[in-house]
Amino acid sequence: MDNKQLIEDVREKAEGYFQRGEFFCSEAVVHTINELLGWPFPKEITKLSSAFPIGLGKSGCLCGAVSGGSMALGMVYGRSHGETMQEKMFPISAALHDHIKNMYKSTCCRVLVKDYEFTSPERKNHCVKITGEVAAFIAEELMKDEDTACKIDMNFKK
């Protein structure tokens, strides 16, 4: 499988989790990236992202998908107690923020959904697309990193 197809599969998998109601935005991104990496963390790691949907616990602030993407970067580049911080995480996290802001003019959930009735299928589809975009962005960035690319499960299926 080539990298472009793998990125699209990641996008579609994250979108599917959210669309089917299996996960919200942040959870879909974290779960999908954990799966892409061949499950380096137990599936329960997704629970750590459960408070982030709808802009941090329904507060409407930072987009849950963006939060989930940053958490997924932490799964790869984060540190344990006493370890040195891996600085390369910060520019990727900032690039994720900038990428979504450039595409959607904001990373604030309430701004991203302001033109939609919250319970409408149109709003959900909009958020599903953002979720897929975040997951695809993270997957693409991880593939650029030689140290991480070798950890990607090339048998990943959407």
Side-chain angles (χ1 to χ4, degrees), residues 136-147:
F137 181 89
I138 296 299
E140 186 171 9
E141 290 300 313
L142 295 178
M143 285 184 218
K144 292 177 187 175
D145 181 346
E146 291 178 18
D147 295 330

Side-chain angles (χ1 to χ4, degrees), residues 2 9 25-26 34 36 40 45 47 49 53 65 74 107 120 123 125 128-129 134 155:
D2 68 26
D9 287 352
C25 48
S26 56
N34 194 27
L36 174 69
I45 195 82
K47 290 180 176 186
S49 61
T107 58
S120 72
R123 192 278 315 157
N125 289 336
V128 163
K129 291 296 180 198
V134 169
N155 295 315

Side-chain angles (χ1 to χ4, degrees), residues 54-82:
I54 315 169
L56 300 172
K58 297 186 176 182
S59 70
C61 288
L62 180 63
C63 167
V66 174
S67 296
S70 294
M71 291 179 74
L73 290 171
M75 291 185 333
V76 175
Y77 300 114
R79 62 183 172 162
S80 295
H81 187 253

Side-chain angles (χ1 to χ4, degrees), residues 42-113:
K43 291 180 181 179
E44 292 78 17
I45 195 82
T46 303
K47 290 180 176 186
L48 292 175
S49 61
S50 294
F52 292 85
I54 315 169
L56 300 172
K58 297 186 176 182
S59 70
C61 288
L62 180 63
C63 167
V66 174
S67 296
S70 294
M71 291 179 74
L73 290 171
M75 291 185 333
V76 175
Y77 300 114
R79 62 183 172 162
S80 295
H81 187 253
E83 292 179 345
T84 303
M85 181 61 78
Q86 289 193 49
E87 291 293 325
K88 61 182 157 182
M89 174 175 43
F90 295 122
I92 299 171
S93 188
L96 169 63
H97 171 272
D98 295 346
H99 176 70
I100 296 302
K101 189 168 183 178
N102 288 335
M103 281 189 81
Y104 295 99
K105 308 303 179 224
S106 183
T107 58
C108 176
C109 180
R110 76 174 63 86
V111 173
L112 292 168
V113 301

